[in-house]
Amino acid sequence: MKLENLLNKAAEIRGKVVAVASAEDEEVIEAVSEAIKRNLARFMLFGKKEAIVDLLISKGIGKDSIEIIQARNKEQAAELAVRAVHHNEASVLMKGNLPTATLLKAVLNKEYGLRTGRILSHVAIFEVPEFTKFVFITDAAMNIAPDLKQKEQIVVNAVEIAKAIDIEIPKVAALAAVEVVNPAMQASIDAASLTLMNMRGQIKDCVIDGPLALDNAISLDAARHKGIKSEVAGQADILLVPTIEVGNALYKSLVYFAKARVGAVIAGAKAPIVLTSRTDSSESKLYSLALAICSSEK
């Protein structure tokens, strides 16, 4: 499974428009340029028009597939981009050169925002060297210490993203440090509760098992060694982490130690949101756009 295939899948989806808030940023414009070259989408660029035009010219990018909309400041750029998605003028929202808090404030606006009643959560897809399948991690960036109800919604968000790239019944491993319920470890209690909720049909369109330690979630050999038998153990598609610290460390370990490729979106809103960081590679930004375009179909 290669993320390059995700780019091809996104390119087959026609008519998608990405609204970029505060697009006057060199790295953002590079990502937009590459996405246009690959026919992924058309773009609405909100921000300081003169600065955006200068960047396009400096990169030798034409204005085909691009609409530029002037905004006085970052707050207005966020509002206008979110309004474009709210009114179905765009299918995907992308963060440009502005603070995440500024964009999310617009996303959560009661008048024109993108609320659905569900929690917003971060869903990352990894292509790990020598691994035969994609691995999803959630939530490594949004929710600090989610409770059981929040974890249920985080799972639902991740399952929708996985299904959007044709993983029909995703296998979800609810991670903890052990494979048995320990009353002193809330992560193990929540994992067991989610497993039971799934068995009773409260969480649909996936198979959940937990608590599972990381090795038993992704390695069949490790699962067999521990005597763990389930549909999920050793073959998980989605890794549900108990806290943001676990997710953040696992995410960055895969990128920096394992040299994994990654794309990520914020799910749970009316449309997928691409929240790129300055530390993300241009390749990662492109994969994130492709994942958002694919998931916007659902």
Side-chain angles (χ1 to χ4, degrees):
M1 301 290 284
K2 300 292 184 182
L3 285 173
E4 186 69 28
N5 297 339
L6 194 63
L7 294 175
N8 296 334
K9 180 177 175 62
E12 293 172 358
I13 301 171
R14 300 299 179 185
K16 294 299 178 180
V17 179
V18 179
V20 185
S22 199
E24 59 274 15
D25 179 88
E26 186 172 354
E27 293 177 356
V28 168
I29 294 299
E30 287 180 358
V32 168
S33 172
E34 188 61 30
I36 290 172
K37 289 177 183 175
R38 291 176 173 266
N39 296 314
L40 298 189
R42 294 184 293 112
F43 288 83
M44 300 174 72
L45 306 182
F46 298 87
K48 298 178 181 178
K49 190 169 186 177
E50 186 176 332
I52 294 171
V53 170
D54 287 345
L55 281 170
L56 291 172
I57 292 172
S58 70
K59 297 294 181 182
I61 304 169
K63 294 182 183 179
D64 292 343
S65 300
I66 294 174
E67 180 183 358
I68 304 172
I69 299 92
Q70 171 69 24
R72 294 188 308 274
N73 50 41
K74 297 181 187 302
E75 289 76 16
Q76 188 185 40
E79 177 184 336
L80 293 175
V82 170
R83 282 184 182 275
V85 178
H86 178 84
H87 293 297
N88 297 317
E89 297 168 5
S91 317
V92 172
L93 178 65
M94 182 176 181
K95 173 179 175 285
N97 184 17
L98 78 170
T100 296
T102 301
L103 185 64
L104 291 181
K105 182 179 179 181
V107 168
L108 297 175
N109 182 279
K110 292 181 180 180
E111 176 194 348
Y112 58 80
L114 307 178
R115 293 168 178 256
T116 62
R118 287 219 307 265
I119 196 171
L120 299 185
S121 58
H122 187 267
V123 183
I125 181 173
F126 287 86
E127 177 192 317
V128 184
E130 299 185 20
F131 225 66
T132 57
K133 63 193 298 184
F134 289 136
V135 176
F136 289 85
I137 294 177
T138 191
D139 176 343
M142 286 289 290
N143 296 283
I144 297 172
D147 59 22
L148 178 61
K149 183 62 178 177
Q150 291 171 323
K151 287 177 180 176
E152 176 189 359
Q153 293 182 52
I154 288 169
V155 169
V156 171
N157 287 346
V159 167
E160 284 191 358
I161 300 297
K163 288 173 68 67
I165 63 165
D166 302 326
I167 301 174
E168 289 303 323
I169 306 293
K171 298 178 175 66
V172 182
L175 297 184
V178 293
E179 295 79 35
V180 295
V181 176
N182 183 334
M185 301 175 70
Q186 188 61 44
S188 71
I189 298 172
D190 288 351
S193 297
L194 291 166
T195 302
L196 185 58
M197 292 166 72
N198 176 240
M199 291 173 61
R200 291 184 171 181
Q202 292 173 256
I203 306 175
K204 303 180 185 297
D205 299 323
C206 64
V207 181
I208 305 175
D209 192 19
L212 288 172
L214 177 63
D215 54 348
N216 301 313
I218 63 172
S219 167
L220 282 169
D221 288 341
R224 290 192 191 105
H225 185 73
K226 283 285 186 73
I228 301 171
K229 297 179 181 179
S230 80
E231 291 184 64
V232 177
Q235 49 193 339
D237 299 299
I238 299 170
L239 303 178
L240 172 69
V241 299
T243 65
I244 198 170
E245 292 88 356
V246 174
N248 185 274
L250 181 54
Y251 184 111
K252 291 177 179 175
S253 293
L254 287 175
V255 172
Y256 288 98
F257 289 148
K259 306 302 179 186
R261 295 177 173 178
V262 61
V265 298
I266 300 297
K270 180 182 176 182
I273 304 168
V274 179
L275 281 183
T276 56
S277 166
R278 285 192 173 273
T279 60
D280 290 335
S281 67
S282 58
E283 180 183 65
S284 178
K285 289 182 173 70
L286 192 64
Y287 293 144
S288 297
L289 270 170
L291 181 61
I293 290 165
C294 290
S295 57
S296 71
E297 281 290 272
K298 295 292 184 180

